[in-house]
Amino acid sequence: MRRAAAAGLLLVFLLAGCGVRPSDVIIGGPAPVGTVGGARIYLLVGDEPSVVLRGPRTALPADVLTELADGPTPAERQQGFNTEVPPEIAPAKLGFSGDGTVVSLSADVDALSVLGVVQIVCTVQAVTSAAPVTLVRGEQRRGPLTCPKDL
Amino acid sequence: MTGFALGLRGRLLLAFAVLGLTTTALVAGVSYGQARTVILQKAQDAAVLSLVDEVKRLPPVRELPPSQDQLDAIARVVSAGPDPSVVAYRGAGASSIGITLGDIPADLRSAVPGGRVVWQRVSDGGTPVLAIGTQLLAERPDGGTEPTGIEVYRLHPLGEEQHSIDQLAALAWSTGAASLVLAVLLALLAARGVLRPVRELGRAARRLGEGHLTTRATVRGSDELAGVAQIFNQTAERLEHQVGELRRMEADARRFVADVSHELRTPLAAMTAVTDVLDEEAARLPGDAGKAARLVSQETQNLAHLVEDLIEISRFDAGTAALSLDEIDVGAAIRATLRARGWAEQVDTELPAGIVARLDPRRLDVVVANLVGNALRHGATPVSVRLRAAPGWVEVTVADHGPGLPPEVLARAFDRFYKADSARSRSDGAGLGLAIALENARLHGGTLVAGNGSPRGAVFTLRLPSGGEA
Amino acid sequence: MSRVLLIEDHHTVREGLRIALTRQGHAVDAVDSGERALEILAAAPADVVVLDLMLPGMDGFEVCRRIRADQDLPIIMLTARDDDMDVVAGLEAGADDYVVKPVQARVLEARIRAVLRRTNGRSPSPSPGAAATEKHGDLTIDRAALVVRKAGEPVGLAPTELRLLLELSATPGRVHSRQQLLEAVWDQGYLGDSRLVDACVQRLRAKIEDDTTAPAYVQTVRGFGYRFGPL
């Protein structure tokens, strides 16, 4: 009995081990990083902020915020992009204080959704620098804030 | 443990084969598995690395979401190599050359947005293929990365690796087969080494059992089997010694009997010479003196017979009995035997004339006289003597109509001094008669068999070769 | 009454046999050695000699030969049953008969009478019309006088030898089996020992044949027995 079982096991082991078998998905290292050109604007795909490039032109930070306020183009909407930044934020002005960038918006800062704030902060940081961003309108302030590292 | 009986050879063969196979399978299997892993890993790593490299070196993306032109441009770059690739944006809008997004496993596609390079081996109609997928990340000014949504997939065939691995497998199989053959050969060799002494021992034991007490086993080397052979030899030696001792003692005892018998012969010769005088005078002696004289006479003759029988059987024991053959008419000889002892009237005879055989007449007389005398003493009348001739043989049967011989007596009828009836006194008839009859039959090369007739009575059958010694 | 010379070295056996033979009416001279026996025989002839083979000093065979050298009187050997070789040697030395010890008086007496009958008895009847004296080649047999001559010279035959020759020559050319001869010559019938016949034939041939290896008078018929002639 035991001998037969051992022989059977051996056979299974030998036969099953043959050839190249299909595998599950194997997760490897981090995906490659490429370079992108042009101004970045963060729109939303579903609930996720996603970068959008608008052509190979360089723009002023204030112009970029205007484009953000304009929302997705029809083509982008077709791809599933939307926005939570109200168009009223434009025109906006950027200034610099000691601890980062200060963005003065034309809309009610406190009324902005979290995702909308993330869109604005990330877009500003993409054209300026890594310095924290503070959103102001009169006495209203939000920040200083930074764009989340992993989007 | 096993249900079927295997010989020592079979068990050794099986053990060696199992051992050889197990070892080979383990070694070959493990090394095969490792080699396969190494081969596959190397191929996969190279393919993955190549894709990652190519994706890294892509020209900067300028549009997101990408236009079809943009995707096509990327697809052209990544498809420059031999492996077909496909480029997609957020799981759709594919641009491809050679393959479509549908060729990529769904599992892989759903893993790609995770931000890491992923791959999976799949079977494409029997041929193993490595599917690799990755997303293009973009660098952020703050040092972080973010997904661009551009996904690159590639199918890298593993046919070559499959071939290498198949070759490895074939090598492992042939190694296994060779090792099995080797194991069987080694097992046969080992079995021979073990079995030959065992067989020799068996043969020696059989010969010893057949009575060849001088048989010894050959002692080779100093292993366990040699030890067994040594013990066998010691045992055989002791046995031979003891049997020799017993034989010597028996021979001594027989020689003693022979010597005593010879010593008794001279006084008996003197006494026998005067028994007739005693018999004649007994009638004239008064009362008890006459009885005593007759008793002495009778017992002297009995004793003389007994001593002569002892001397006769001693001669058979010593192997000095010789035949004095003569061409005789067997029927006439038997009739003479009966007549000489005064039995002619008491016995039914069937003795056809003209049956001639080359026999020792004196010994035939002894045998017939013993058988008939025995039948008359112990059986019941009528006693019959029949002579029959068969080609090459004469057969004499002596039968009585007594109760016959019980089985325990049949088995010992020819034993010396064996008395069927233990109540019978010692001096009643010679205890050696049948033993001497048997020895005489054997000396002629014949047989003497005791049995029972039907419906009753003891039957002794004497068969002698009619042409002298058989 | 006949004179019996008994030669036996064992005192008690000799005494027993002497008593027994004396009671049978014989005059018995009992001696314990061959030398004594030869002395007595030289002084006075006996009718029959009863001779033990196993003797101290001169053994029985030698005694037998010595007696045979001068006299034709019958000799009966005393032998043990297990001494087959002795029987043959004794018969060749010239004994007429033998008895096995221990022997009962009446058995010995019967043998003594048988040999004495051979000495004194009549010859077998010659075929009717034949002369008492027959001539067979060189051999002349006088059945009345019991004298055998070869080429005119008398041949000294022991009584048994003479009886055997007379028996065989009575029916020239007829085959006699050993058993028949035992019965006719030795009065022994089927219990007799055929070696008696063979030994006697040998001795007879030595006396009457020209060439004992190719006998003319007493011929062997293999498997059957002996016959006289044909010449």
Side-chain angles (χ1 to χ4, degrees):
Chain A
M1 261 330 282
R2 226 164 58 197
R3 212 172 271 179
L9 212 70
L10 200 72
L11 206 70
V12 166
F13 169 69
L14 281 174
L15 291 178
C18 273
V20 178
R21 286 163 303 154
S23 69
D24 286 339
V25 174
I26 300 163
I27 313 285
V33 180
T35 49
V36 291
R40 301 170 182 210
I41 292 168
Y42 288 84
L43 297 176
L44 293 175
V45 177
D47 288 342
E48 279 186 40
S50 253
V51 70
V52 164
L53 296 177
R54 291 279 171 82
R57 57 184 180 219
T58 49
L60 291 170
D63 296 341
V64 172
L65 279 179
T66 308
E67 279 202 39
L68 179 64
D70 287 347
T73 59
E76 284 165 356
R77 280 196 190 280
Q78 225 172 349
Q79 298 259 7
F81 287 93
N82 56 26
T83 185
E84 288 193 9
V85 177
E88 302 87 65
I89 62 158
K93 273 186 282 189
L94 274 76
F96 299 95
S97 72
D99 54 349
T101 313
V102 179
V103 181
S104 309
L105 298 177
S106 308
D108 183 356
V109 171
D110 290 334
L112 287 173
S113 69
V114 174
L115 284 174
V117 171
V118 170
Q119 276 182 282
I120 296 164
V121 169
C122 287
T123 304
V124 170
Q125 279 193 326
V127 287
T128 54
S129 69
V133 176
T134 308
L135 301 183
V136 295
R137 187 189 177 217
E139 289 309 302
Q140 293 177 324
R141 293 176 75 89
R142 285 181 85 162
L145 299 163
T146 50
C147 183
K149 270 274 185 226
D150 296 307
L151 288 178
Chain B
M1 198 187 96
T2 44
F4 40 93
L6 275 174
L8 201 51
R9 178 195 293 270
R11 264 148 58 191
L12 271 171
L13 271 179
L14 194 67
F16 269 74
V18 167
L19 182 72
L21 265 185
T22 314
T23 313
T24 315
L26 275 177
V27 171
V30 167
S31 52
Y32 163 78
Q34 290 216 321
R36 184 180 61 179
T37 307
V38 167
I39 288 174
L40 280 179
Q41 215 141 48
K42 235 171 105 179
Q44 285 167 194
D45 287 357
V48 169
L49 227 64
S50 152
L51 180 66
V52 168
D53 244 30
E54 284 169 41
V55 171
K56 265 187 193 159
R57 279 203 299 271
L58 280 176
V61 176
R62 305 230 171 258
E63 292 174 90
L64 272 182
S67 62
Q68 191 62 40
D69 285 349
Q70 176 86 64
L71 284 180
D72 287 348
I74 296 171
R76 266 197 302 279
V77 172
V78 295
S79 295
D83 298 338
S85 304
V86 57
V87 179
Y89 182 71
R90 293 194 182 277
S95 164
S96 59
I97 295 162
I99 55 168
T100 65
L101 207 53
D103 293 329
I104 308 301
D107 284 354
L108 191 73
R109 273 188 281 146
S110 62
V112 162
R116 301 187 84 83
V117 184
V118 294
W119 61 89
Q120 185 179 13
R121 282 195 306 275
V122 291
S123 174
D124 176 20
T127 330
V129 174
L130 182 69
I132 313 166
T134 187
Q135 193 167 193
L136 177 64
L137 297 186
E139 209 173 350
R140 279 207 317 225
D142 63 357
T145 56
E146 59 194 1
T148 59
I150 295 173
E151 298 162 358
V152 181
Y153 298 98
R154 178 175 277 181
L155 287 180
H156 175 71
L158 290 171
E160 241 172 86
E161 286 70 23
Q162 162 99 329
H163 183 67
S164 302
I165 287 166
D166 283 352
Q167 271 185 330
L168 267 180
L171 189 68
W173 278 115
S174 51
T175 310
S179 107
L180 181 62
V181 168
L182 198 68
V184 166
L185 282 179
L186 279 174
L188 281 175
L189 209 68
R192 217 172 62 122
V194 173
L195 289 180
R196 198 171 50 162
V198 168
R199 217 174 8 239
E200 274 177 20
L201 262 178
R203 213 171 347 201
R206 204 173 314 116
R207 275 184 62 78
L208 191 71
E210 283 163 0
H212 303 278
L213 296 180
T214 52
T215 306
R216 295 289 180 275
T218 324
V219 180
R220 264 194 221 88
S222 55
D223 57 5
E224 289 85 344
L225 278 172
V228 172
Q230 217 146 23
I231 290 168
F232 175 89
N233 285 349
Q234 286 166 2
T235 309
E237 207 165 303
R238 221 163 296 143
L239 190 64
E240 190 189 1
H241 177 75
Q242 277 170 0
V243 168
E245 192 76 358
L246 281 175
R247 287 200 180 133
R248 199 180 55 70
M249 281 161 66
E250 195 190 0
D252 283 353
R254 289 186 170 179
R255 202 172 312 123
F256 176 73
V257 169
D259 290 347
V260 167
S261 307
H262 273 100
E263 287 303 316
L264 287 174
R265 185 180 254 174
T266 300
L268 274 172
M271 289 159 75
T272 304
V274 296
T275 53
D276 287 345
V277 179
L278 281 183
D279 286 341
E280 283 164 26
E281 295 297 323
R284 263 170 266 159
L285 289 173
D288 285 348
K291 282 184 200 154
R294 263 194 286 272
L295 188 125
V296 169
S297 166
Q298 185 57 47
E299 287 305 302
T300 300
Q301 283 171 44
N302 286 341
L303 189 56
H305 277 136
L306 177 59
V307 167
E308 288 309 313
D309 281 351
L310 279 173
I311 289 172
E312 181 79 0
I313 206 105
S314 299
R315 298 186 60 208
F316 284 113
D317 290 345
T320 55
L323 278 179
S324 172
L325 294 175
D326 199 2
E327 203 83 31
I328 60 166
D329 183 319
V330 184
I334 293 173
R335 218 172 281 121
T337 296
L338 298 179
R339 201 168 53 230
R341 287 174 180 72
W343 293 336
E345 305 305 313
Q346 295 168 258
V347 176
D348 291 342
T349 56
E350 194 178 298
L351 303 169
I355 295 180
V356 176
R358 230 175 117 64
L359 302 174
D360 185 328
R362 186 180 72 76
R363 295 189 186 281
L364 176 66
D365 174 64
V366 167
V367 176
V368 173
N370 272 317
L371 294 182
V372 175
N374 192 62
L376 288 171
R377 259 197 311 279
H378 303 307
T381 50
V383 170
S384 65
V385 179
R386 281 189 179 75
L387 172 64
R388 216 165 56 81
W393 294 88
V394 292
E395 189 178 284
V396 181
T397 47
V398 177
D400 65 44
H401 283 76
L405 303 170
E408 70 271 15
V409 178
L410 261 186
R412 305 192 54 194
F414 297 104
D415 287 4
R416 294 168 191 190
F417 295 114
Y418 181 72
K419 289 262 191 309
D421 184 354
S422 57
R424 220 185 290 278
S425 76
R426 204 75 170 135
S427 59
D428 184 11
L432 288 170
L434 287 179
I436 288 175
L438 177 65
E439 294 289 356
N440 275 312
R442 283 185 183 155
L443 191 63
H444 278 92
T447 57
L448 177 57
V449 180
N452 281 315
S454 93
R456 59 206 296 261
V459 178
F460 286 85
T461 306
L462 170 72
R463 273 167 67 83
L464 299 176
S466 55
E469 283 169 274
Chain C
M1 173 165 127
S2 43
R3 279 174 49 84
V4 177
L5 177 59
L6 171 66
I7 309 156
E8 163 66 60
D9 61 323
H10 282 108
H11 168 72
T12 52
V13 179
R14 184 172 70 240
E15 193 58 18
L17 288 173
R18 193 189 62 75
I19 294 167
L21 289 174
T22 306
R23 281 179 65 91
Q24 298 291 339
H26 301 290
V28 182
D29 280 323
V31 300
D32 62 354
S33 72
E35 290 83 350
R36 279 283 297 146
L38 291 175
E39 280 171 34
I40 286 180
L41 275 181
D47 296 313
V48 62
V49 173
V50 176
L51 171 65
D52 183 22
L53 284 178
M54 301 299 285
L55 291 174
M58 188 189 296
D59 68 16
F61 308 106
E62 183 58 26
V63 175
C64 198
R65 266 190 292 276
R66 295 267 181 104
I67 296 171
R68 270 281 168 270
D70 320 326
Q71 304 188 36
D72 293 333
L73 80 170
I75 301 172
I76 297 173
M77 297 186 291
L78 289 175
T79 177
R81 199 201 283 183
D82 54 345
D83 292 336
D84 273 355
M85 289 295 106
D86 286 1
V87 169
V88 173
L91 292 173
E92 279 167 1
D96 294 276
D97 204 348
Y98 71 96
V99 291
V100 175
K101 284 198 295 185
V103 62
Q104 278 181 273
R106 55 173 172 239
V107 173
L108 180 57
E109 173 62 15
R111 297 297 177 85
I112 289 174
R113 282 191 197 288
V115 291
L116 289 176
R117 236 190 339 267
R118 271 170 250 163
T119 319
N120 309 323
R122 306 174 307 275
S123 69
S125 310
S127 41
T133 303
E134 303 162 10
K135 202 163 161 50
H136 307 276
D138 281 348
L139 217 57
T140 311
I141 301 172
D142 184 342
R143 290 184 183 271
L146 296 178
V147 176
V148 176
R149 291 171 195 280
K150 187 173 183 207
E153 292 296 311
V155 183
L157 291 180
T160 311
E161 294 157 13
L162 178 62
R163 270 296 283 235
L164 181 64
L165 179 60
L166 293 178
E167 182 69 26
L168 285 169
S169 62
T171 54
R174 202 192 108 189
V175 178
H176 300 252
S177 74
R178 290 178 176 80
Q179 299 301 334
Q180 286 169 332
L181 291 171
L182 274 173
E183 263 179 300
V185 179
W186 281 268
D187 293 346
Q188 283 198 17
Y190 277 100
L191 293 186
D193 186 339
S194 59
R195 286 174 303 180
L196 288 171
V197 183
D198 297 335
C200 195
V201 165
Q202 293 303 322
R203 297 202 308 266
L204 182 59
R205 281 176 178 162
K207 290 175 180 173
I208 63 171
E209 300 284 355
D210 298 319
D211 178 5
T212 53
T213 59
Y217 301 106
V218 181
Q219 299 177 1
T220 305
V221 181
R222 277 189 73 88
F224 291 95
Y226 300 101
R227 71 177 171 209
F228 189 80
L231 294 172

